[in-house]
Amino acid sequence: MPTGKLRCSMSIPVTLVETDPWPFTVLRCTAHLVRDQGPLAPFGLSLRYSVHDPFAVRVLLEAGTAAVTWTLSRDLLLRSLLGRDGMGDVAAWPVARGLGADVVQVRLGPPGGGAVIEIAHDVLSRWLEVTRRLSPVGEESRHIDWDAVTRVLLDADTG
């Protein structure tokens, strides 16, 4: 993927779906890759949170038949509403364009070589609030079937 920034237009609402049997929420929008030279390249951007995996947010970037999925920490996104967080291939931070933080930028990939997704601060904040209603911060572990995790770990140890 070329280096650049994705700007997210937030005209599509947050959806909350409580089926399959785990509650989850999805934020969908159209994004654009801002290149140093050339026209904007549109992408579909989806953020998905499920109480089945309560610590993670799945990020899906789509362009034509190509798709890239990243898994981010929900805590990283929550902390990025207030300040810079993350290291390595993932970092996020608020950016003020006027009064207050207007967008949150999320870098996917190495510094200087990855893409930056730009999401409206208020939209990301509202969507993350939905995730907090599904699984409050600090209570994520209650959604994990620890007996099943232990069985898988023990089976892997004997196999």
Side-chain angles (χ1 to χ4, degrees):
M1 179 179 284
T3 300
K5 292 183 182 178
L6 296 172
R7 284 198 196 139
C8 195
S9 100
M10 295 297 172
S11 59
I12 298 174
V14 170
T15 59
L16 176 61
V17 182
E18 295 192 39
T19 59
D20 296 335
W22 301 95
F24 66 92
T25 179
V26 178
L27 173 65
R28 291 186 180 95
C29 64
T30 300
H32 296 90
L33 177 65
V34 179
R35 297 177 279 190
D36 293 335
Q37 298 174 346
L40 297 175
F43 287 87
L45 176 65
S46 297
L47 300 178
R48 185 179 193 280
Y49 176 81
S50 171
V51 298
H52 184 268
D53 191 0
F55 294 101
V57 171
R58 304 282 187 271
V59 178
L60 176 64
L61 304 168
E62 297 178 281
T65 59
V68 176
T69 302
W70 284 76
T71 302
L72 306 181
S73 159
R74 178 177 70 159
D75 285 345
L76 176 137
L77 291 176
L78 287 165
R79 288 188 302 263
S80 74
L81 295 172
L82 301 174
R84 187 174 187 87
D85 195 61
M87 63 174 76
D89 284 351
V90 178
W93 58 93
V95 175
R97 296 270 165 76
L99 299 174
D102 296 318
V103 297
V104 172
Q105 292 184 345
V106 181
R107 180 181 39 77
L108 303 172
V116 176
I117 300 169
E118 193 168 274
I119 304 169
H121 187 280
D122 62 334
V123 172
L124 181 60
S125 177
R126 286 193 314 256
W127 182 73
L128 287 168
E129 186 56 40
V130 173
T131 75
R132 281 186 253 193
R133 287 196 303 267
L134 291 175
S135 180
V137 173
E139 295 182 21
E140 296 92 347
S141 292
R142 71 181 175 90
H143 297 289
I144 297 173
D145 182 350
W146 291 106
D147 291 334
V149 170
T150 303
R151 281 192 303 274
V152 168
L153 292 173
L154 290 174
D155 288 346
D157 188 42
T158 61

